[in-house]
Amino acid sequence: MTITEQVFGLQPGEPNAGYVRALWLLRAADVLNVLSPQELPVAGQPLTVSKAGLLVRTGAMLSRIKPMTKTATFEEPGDTEAAGSVYAPQLQIPMPKPSPAFDQYLSRYAATRWVVFWVDYNGQGWLAGEPDNGLRLTTSRLQGATNGLLLTFTGRSYHPAWRLESTEPEVLFVNSAFDFGFNLSFDS
């Protein structure tokens, strides 16, 4: 009898940092398609969306949020249903002292569904939400110690959040009509 052993986990001394470092928002209506890792595989990187796999409309709005250091989190509980596995991605971003312009932005896009991609402190890119099933955004006012807002993006999917080959807008959207100068960085 022959067996094959697979070992998963960190090797001693390997760094592993938590939290979301930065994230970008695309309105789901502006995303034409997300080519799955099966449709456009990335060599040697299973379950990874190619840097050419996120297709958006010309003139789409790309908003960047740069949260305070090590405050934004992502979790994704999974479950099994009759139709198969289901995942519930959730991104939480505390935003201290939001400006009136940011409040207006949130009000304008309150009912919008989102495709969100982000980079963690390990440098790994991730993607959640799809054109026909974007993440929902809810806000909670925090008048306590941080005196700000808690942004929460939630959704449901039949696959876990995919890794993303790159999170650099200039790489993902080559020859795009984006204005990369606009972002939602509200550092206090």
Side-chain angles (χ1 to χ4, degrees), residues 19-86:
Y19 299 99
V20 172
R21 186 172 65 209
L23 63 149
W24 293 261
L25 312 176
L26 284 163
R27 292 180 295 193
D30 287 338
V31 178
L32 300 171
N33 199 359
V34 175
L35 299 176
S36 74
Q38 293 76 26
E39 294 172 298
L40 187 60
V42 177
Q45 297 182 48
L47 299 179
T48 301
V49 172
S50 166
K51 61 187 174 191
L54 186 54
L55 310 174
V56 299
R57 294 184 198 287
T58 300
M61 179 183 68
L62 178 67
S63 302
R64 180 178 181 194
I65 296 178
K66 187 177 177 190
M68 287 183 14
T69 303
K70 295 191 176 184
T71 59
T73 60
F74 173 74
E75 64 180 59
E76 187 177 52
D79 201 2
T80 303
E81 296 181 349
S85 296
V86 65

Side-chain angles (χ1 to χ4, degrees), residues 9 11 15 51 78 93-94 166 184:
Q11 300 299 317
K51 61 187 174 191
I93 306 101
S166 174
L184 297 174

Side-chain angles (χ1 to χ4, degrees), residues 95-116:
M95 300 293 292
K97 197 177 179 182
S99 70
F102 188 61
D103 288 341
Q104 182 181 14
Y105 174 89
L106 292 174
S107 177
R108 172 183 279 162
Y109 297 109
T112 300
R113 294 287 194 110
W114 299 95
V115 172
V116 180

